[in-house]
Amino acid sequence: MFACRTLLKQIRKKKRRKPHKSTSKTPKQNPNSRTQDSHEFSLKSQALGVQPLGNLYLASSHHNSRTTGLGTIQTLTDELILDILGLLEATHLGVLSTVSKSLYVFCNHEPIWKNLVLDSSPHGFLFKGSWKSTYVAKRYPNYYSKVGSLGLKVQDFYSDYLFQSWLCANLEMKDEWLVRDNIIRRKGISVDEFVRDFEGLNKPVLLEGCLDNWGAMKKWGRDYLVEVCGDVRFSVGPTQMTMNDYFVYADQAQEERPLYLFDPRFANKVTKLGQDYEVPVYFNEDLFSVLGDERPDYRWIIIGPAGSGSSFHIDPNSTSAWNAVVKGSKKWVLFPPDVVPPGVYPSADGAEVACPVSINEWFMNFYEATKTWKKRPVECVCKAGEVIFVPNGWWHLVINLEDSIAITQNFVSRRNLLNVLDFLKKPNASTLVSGTRDRVNLHDKFKKAIEASFPGTIDELAKEAEKKKAELEKLSFWDSVKDSNSGGFKFSF
């Protein structure tokens, strides 16, 4: 249950295209609220009047429309009710919303209409401020032009589940979620130093000064991208949108999981975008390139508003990655391969990952626990002009702190070639491998291409790995017999 007297201070007024500031913002007191207590959520703090369940116990009346207006289904959980409604067509939702105040609230839940829009708009949409309005405007333009966006305010409706998505969409990143910055930062190091100190140790690092010569750093703003991209459509979740239409959406989006523009073919679609940046020297070795056009997806342009991002995941195909911020800033949280983040539940074969619905939800419920862990996460805020190296196998979460544009690429070097080959030949490779049409044969194609382009490399790396393994085992043995108290040796036979 939400603690209604402690959450209001964390709610922000969304200001699009403004830099993130770490200071908290508190909404102005609503004169129509039930009380003058500035720590209580007011009725008008949420679009339809939904309040957290805790407010019910402070209300003058203990009437909850949620439990009295659903007839025979009032005993079902809010989540199950929404799952059922999610199976209905828009017309049925419209009819059902007239039955009672409770069903009106449920039938207007934005994620339901978001799914309807995305399912019916493979070639994009023009966002109208809400997902329901967007659907109505697209399907019934004459009706929308006359009526516009109408909505009712429902009193005495208390539900933690329905309130949570609104809360997560409006909750500002707290100072204590941003203050920890324990990643190693380097500027001007050599490639050999990078390999020795970071890539060879599979250790993340934030690199500064790598993008100074990028044309993108000077040119990549909204106006430039809209102009050079024109009517070209880019991947945005399950749909394709023009750059202009996406920015229209991003300006208005205020939801739990804003859509990301995340396109692996951007440089092929708009050649000029590929010419505006170059791979930092530390990541020039990219062995997947031996596959030519058959290589898995490996580079993306990423554009998103504040609050958008990626929940915890491991990069595909056991690759490493680099992520360069062109505009804006991103909060990163990374865990090493042997530490599963709290609240994250990967399947036994690694094919699926269950985690909180939104990034803010993870910070609300799980971030605090990591402060006491022996192996704490690596964290940082990556700003424009900076590049983060994400080693293979590392769990990571990323959230935009402001409107952001970035380039990311996954790559295979000699340091993780054997890991990638092992990954590609797993028994369930057809499930795990991503970014390619031929998941089953990718291992054989890749190995054959490496052997043709770099004869003897795989055998050489295998011998080096065996040698290193033997050295570690030998070191482990002597550690086991060493008497740490006396500084000498202790033999046990």
Side-chain angles (χ1 to χ4, degrees), residues 90-106:
T91 303
H92 298 148
L93 289 171
V95 173
L96 195 59
S97 68
T98 65
V99 173
S100 69
K101 291 191 295 184
S102 295
L103 286 174
Y104 175 81
V105 173
F106 280 106

Side-chain angles (χ1 to χ4, degrees), residues 181-211 280-283 320-325 330 332-336 377-383 385-392 394-396 408-409 411:
D181 194 317
N182 58 354
I183 197 170
I184 298 174
R185 295 172 178 264
R186 290 290 184 268
K187 183 176 182 178
I189 62 174
S190 67
V191 174
D192 289 340
E193 288 175 309
F194 168 74
V195 172
R196 181 193 66 203
D197 298 337
F198 302 103
E199 190 185 14
L201 301 177
N202 212 45
K203 188 176 182 179
V205 62
L206 191 145
L207 301 166
E208 302 172 342
C210 298
L211 316 182
V281 63
Y282 307 105
F283 316 111
S320 298
W322 57 268
N323 186 296
V325 178
K330 298 172 179 285
W332 286 78
V333 181
L334 305 96
F335 286 88
V378 174
E379 300 181 46
C380 68
V381 172
C382 191
K383 301 176 181 178
E386 298 177 338
V387 180
I388 187 171
F389 166 62
V390 183
N392 72 86
W394 278 67
W395 292 94
H396 52 284
T408 187
Q409 289 195 187
F411 67 97

Side-chain angles (χ1 to χ4, degrees), residues 1-3 7 10-11 41 160 163-174 177 256 356 358-369 397:
M1 184 184 299
F2 287 107
L7 288 176
Q10 301 166 20
I11 303 300
F41 286 115
D160 279 349
F163 185 81
Q164 179 166 280
S165 62
W166 177 87
L167 175 65
C168 289
N170 291 272
L171 187 67
E172 186 177 62
M173 293 290 287
K174 299 165 70 173
W177 296 347
E256 189 173 6
S358 68
I359 298 173
N360 270 336
E361 184 181 350
W362 183 84
F363 275 100
M364 288 169 58
N365 297 329
F366 299 102
Y367 179 78
E368 187 69 23
L397 167 153

Side-chain angles (χ1 to χ4, degrees), residues 138-382:
K138 185 176 179 65
R139 293 294 297 271
Y140 309 102
N142 292 333
Y143 173 83
Y144 183 82
S145 63
K146 296 177 181 178
V147 179
S149 179
L150 298 177
L152 302 176
K153 184 73 67 174
V154 176
Q155 293 187 353
D156 300 321
F157 193 104
Y158 304 90
S159 168
D160 279 349
Y161 185 83
L162 289 178
F163 185 81
Q164 179 166 280
S165 62
W166 177 87
L167 175 65
C168 289
N170 291 272
L171 187 67
E172 186 177 62
M173 293 290 287
K174 299 165 70 173
D175 290 346
E176 54 263 39
W177 296 347
L178 299 173
V179 68
R180 192 190 302 174
D181 194 317
N182 58 354
I183 197 170
I184 298 174
R185 295 172 178 264
R186 290 290 184 268
K187 183 176 182 178
I189 62 174
S190 67
V191 174
D192 289 340
E193 288 175 309
F194 168 74
V195 172
R196 181 193 66 203
D197 298 337
F198 302 103
E199 190 185 14
L201 301 177
N202 212 45
K203 188 176 182 179
V205 62
L206 191 145
L207 301 166
E208 302 172 342
C210 298
L211 316 182
D212 294 345
N213 297 324
W214 279 21
M217 295 301 299
K218 298 178 180 179
K219 296 189 288 186
W220 280 20
R222 174 185 303 224
D223 293 340
Y224 174 81
L225 292 175
V226 169
E227 179 183 352
V228 300
C229 295
D231 293 331
V232 176
R233 296 182 180 273
F234 297 88
S235 297
V236 178
T239 189
Q240 300 280 321
M241 299 180 70
T242 65
M243 195 68 72
N244 184 68
D245 285 352
Y246 179 75
F247 282 125
V248 169
Y249 159 78
D251 281 344
Q252 304 174 74
Q254 190 167 341
E255 55 183 320
E256 189 173 6
R257 299 180 66 183
L259 293 174
Y260 239 164
L261 190 153
F262 193 75
D263 196 293
R265 309 290 180 190
F266 72 98
N268 302 98
K269 294 177 178 179
V270 182
T271 305
K272 202 167 185 178
L273 296 182
Q275 297 171 344
D276 284 341
Y277 82 99
E278 60 185 26
V279 176
V281 63
Y282 307 105
F283 316 111
N284 274 336
E285 185 178 55
D286 184 3
L287 298 180
F288 257 147
S289 62
V290 299
L291 290 173
D293 293 339
E294 291 190 273
R295 71 172 301 164
D297 294 340
Y298 71 104
R299 62 177 176 177
W300 294 262
I301 186 174
I302 311 174
I303 304 177
S308 60
S310 300
S311 55
F312 275 111
H313 65 283
I314 296 174
D315 279 343
N317 305 328
S318 197
T319 56
S320 298
W322 57 268
N323 186 296
V325 178
V326 178
K327 300 290 183 184
S329 57
K330 298 172 179 285
K331 166 71 178 182
W332 286 78
V333 181
L334 305 96
F335 286 88
D338 60 330
V339 179
V340 179
V344 176
Y345 304 96
S347 60
D349 62 359
E352 298 181 355
V353 177
C355 55
V357 171
S358 68
I359 298 173
N360 270 336
E361 184 181 350
W362 183 84
F363 275 100
M364 288 169 58
N365 297 329
F366 299 102
Y367 179 78
E368 187 69 23
T370 66
K371 294 182 178 180
T372 60
W373 282 29
K374 185 177 181 179
K375 290 188 177 182
R376 298 183 182 182
V378 174
E379 300 181 46
C380 68
V381 172
C382 191

Side-chain angles (χ1 to χ4, degrees), residues 286-296 412 414 417 420-421 424 441-458:
D286 184 3
L287 298 180
F288 257 147
S289 62
V290 299
L291 290 173
D293 293 339
E294 291 190 273
R295 71 172 301 164
V412 183
R414 283 174 168 80
L417 175 59
V420 171
L421 288 172
L424 297 181
N441 299 310
L442 183 60
H443 170 270
D444 293 341
K445 289 181 179 179
F446 184 39
K447 184 177 181 180
K448 184 177 179 180
I450 288 290
E451 290 173 340
S453 301
F454 305 99
T457 296
I458 295 177

